[in-house]
Amino acid sequence: MMYKIGDGIISPLGSTTEENFQAVKAGYSGIRQFPAGFRGLSHPILAALISPRNLENLAAPYAGARTHMMSRYRQAMSAVFESAVSNTVPEIYRNEIFTSPRVAFIFCTTKGDVDSFRELSDQTLNPRLYPWHVSQQMMNELNLHGKPYVVMNSAMSGMQAQIVANRLLCKGSPYDFAVIIGVELISMFTVFLLSQAGLVSNKPVRPFDVEGNGTNPGESASCAIFVSEVRFQKDKKHLNMPCFIKFKEGAVMTDPCNGGSFDTKGQALLRVIQKVMIRENARNLSFINAHGLGLTVIDNITSIAIEEAGLRRVPVNCFEGSFGHSSGSTSLMNSILGAKSLEEGIILPTLGYRTHGVDGRIQIVTTVKTSNKNSFLNVSTGFGGVNAATLYTKEKNHHAH
């Protein structure tokens, strides 16, 4: 097990976890209408996009004179990491994360640096295009001494990255810390892929709703920083934090997927939820954060799995209506906002849900609720038949001043 000691989120709604948390709490959405021609797109699109100027300004304090030479992807990686360390990590750890080799840097992605894809041709295979090279380049630019890892999967890559981090921070490991970074930026390539998959809607996304017909592309960057349990127990009395969020369990499982079709019964997602919930009593769950897409087939799978796992009375929320679909960052961002909700003792609302439109009997939260329970579950099902669930719990800090 491992403990979260820092985090950061950059999105159209804010440049820190706190700003994004407050925006979601207030019911704001970053999804806007953009005209044809914007960023080379051939048609108008509803999307949640980060201003390139804002992104460059956020990266500049850390990347310095190199900023204008960096792709937007590397700007986002650098900015969200440095923001997380500067704004949330306890002071006793900050220098160590930058200078120690006992740090695993895990980069979660679905496609890598999409801005560089225009350099790809039948004659050119530039190493810069590979996800592993992007992560190593960022570490070189910031003079980081840890070791980079890359987790490449569907929209649940951020959850899988946390599972990898938990393994890397086991007892006897060469690492004390794990830094997880996920970035998703929109390009013509990204929009084409989402459109081909039937995900893009010309209306605001409506997760789990009867009128759901797809989602809206989104941009975000997320970073979560964890410390091993061994190191945490050693330093615990020096950490002036009111409570701690522990990554308790996580699992990934695939189901049969043929020609783009899904296992509509959601059996793999059900099994992965059951596997994770062995470590927790359902009565202790404050809420379930579910990655709803506003696409009936996927939302239906999620709802059925939650009900069949015996969790239909647990409140469910979804942040797709706030941020759109930012594949490489979504599930990590959901985990961070869920952890923040647990710390604050509230359940955040779901935007876009009005009329129940899925088969599973689940309780969708549409307004801010209070909760004194100490755990939450994050679930996701993605293209390719990949399913994941991660479990978190809150512990009070009795040493806090």
Side-chain angles (χ1 to χ4, degrees):
M1 289 181 285
M2 59 185 184
Y3 290 80
K4 186 175 70 65
I5 55 171
D7 51 60
I9 297 172
I10 296 173
S11 83
L13 294 180
S15 57
T16 65
T17 297
E18 180 65 26
E19 288 178 3
N20 282 278
F21 175 79
Q22 293 300 336
V24 176
K25 183 179 176 182
Y28 297 142
S29 174
I31 299 170
R32 301 285 184 271
Q33 181 78 42
F34 293 89
F38 184 80
R39 295 195 192 170
L41 298 174
S42 60
H43 55 277
I45 190 170
L46 268 176
L49 306 180
I50 303 170
S51 161
R53 180 174 296 179
N54 289 348
L55 188 57
E56 186 168 327
N57 290 338
L58 289 170
Y62 313 116
R66 299 184 304 271
T67 306
H68 70 281
M69 297 183 290
M70 300 166 67
S71 68
R72 290 189 305 141
Y73 196 90
R74 295 205 327 272
Q75 287 177 357
M77 291 168 70
S78 300
V80 76
F81 164 61
E82 299 255 16
S83 173
V85 176
S86 302
N87 294 318
T88 62
V89 171
E91 191 170 351
I92 64 169
Y93 291 142
R94 289 177 189 172
N95 185 62
E96 196 171 354
I97 287 174
F98 282 110
T99 61
S100 174
R102 296 182 63 83
V103 184
F105 287 86
I106 306 171
F107 299 87
C108 50
T109 181
T110 56
K111 297 168 288 294
D113 186 353
V114 293
D115 282 348
S116 298
F117 282 13
R118 61 182 177 271
E119 301 173 21
L120 185 63
S121 71
D122 292 338
Q123 293 77 37
T124 303
L125 284 176
N126 192 326
R128 285 201 306 118
L129 305 183
Y130 295 111
W132 63 263
H133 190 273
V134 177
S135 57
Q136 184 63 66
Q137 194 168 11
M138 189 208 89
M139 294 186 66
N140 293 342
E141 288 168 342
L142 298 181
N143 195 29
L144 302 172
H145 299 277
K147 182 176 179 179
Y149 295 82
V150 176
V151 173
M152 202 165 183
N153 209 318
S154 67
M156 42 68 64
S157 59
M159 298 166 72
Q160 187 171 11
Q162 292 174 76
I163 295 169
V164 171
N166 194 45
R167 292 172 181 169
L168 290 174
L169 295 182
C170 66
K171 191 173 182 180
S173 160
Y175 302 112
D176 290 328
F177 305 96
V179 176
I180 305 172
I181 299 174
V183 173
E184 183 67 30
L185 298 173
I186 299 301
S187 68
M188 288 186 289
F189 175 77
T190 310
V191 173
F192 174 77
L193 284 182
L194 293 175
S195 299
Q196 288 295 104
L199 286 179
V200 179
S201 173
N202 58 4
K203 297 179 181 179
V205 59
R206 304 282 294 273
F208 303 102
D209 191 89
V210 68
E211 294 185 14
N213 69 341
T215 188
N216 314 117
E219 296 185 330
S220 65
S222 306
C223 176
I225 303 174
F226 294 89
V227 64
S228 69
E229 185 171 23
V230 172
R231 182 66 186 272
F232 171 79
Q233 296 298 341
K234 178 182 175 183
D235 299 336
K236 187 176 180 180
K237 61 184 178 183
H238 302 297
L239 300 175
N240 189 26
M241 301 163 69
C243 62
F244 305 109
I245 300 297
K246 177 167 66 174
F247 179 93
K248 198 169 184 179
E249 186 62 87
V252 175
M253 199 170 291
T254 58
D255 55 29
C257 183
N258 183 26
S261 63
F262 291 87
D263 172 17
T264 55
K265 296 181 180 179
Q267 289 302 297
L269 183 58
L270 169 62
R271 290 195 299 273
V272 84
I273 291 173
Q274 290 172 332
K275 182 176 181 179
V276 168
M277 285 302 295
I278 290 175
R279 302 292 303 275
E280 187 60 274
N281 189 313
R283 295 180 180 178
N284 295 333
L285 287 180
S286 175
F287 59 92
I288 298 170
N289 179 263
H291 186 205
L293 289 176
L295 201 63
T296 302
V297 63
I298 295 180
D299 291 358
N300 221 30
I301 291 170
T302 304
S303 69
I304 291 170
I306 290 173
E307 180 183 5
E308 292 192 1
L311 304 176
R312 72 181 183 91
R313 296 186 184 279
V314 179
V316 175
N317 65 6
C318 171
F319 304 138
E320 194 86 352
S322 304
F323 301 101
H325 188 70
S326 51
S327 305
S329 172
T330 288
S331 64
L332 183 59
M333 178 169 60
N334 291 349
S335 301
I336 294 169
L337 291 172
K340 180 70 174 175
S341 303
L342 209 59
E343 292 171 359
E344 299 292 329
I346 68 169
I347 305 171
L348 291 171
T350 302
L351 292 187
Y353 174 85
R354 295 174 190 167
T355 305
H356 201 72
V358 290
D359 294 341
R361 294 175 296 171
I362 58 175
Q363 309 298 319
I364 305 294
V365 176
T366 57
T367 59
V368 178
K369 306 281 187 183
T370 58
S371 174
N372 59 4
K373 296 185 178 182
N374 293 321
S375 298
F376 84 94
L377 183 69
N378 197 5
V379 300
S380 177
T381 186
F383 281 85
V386 185
N387 305 272
T390 46
L391 177 67
Y392 310 81
T393 190
K394 177 175 68 174
E395 295 181 359
K396 289 184 179 180
N397 181 8
H398 301 291
H399 300 283
H401 303 307

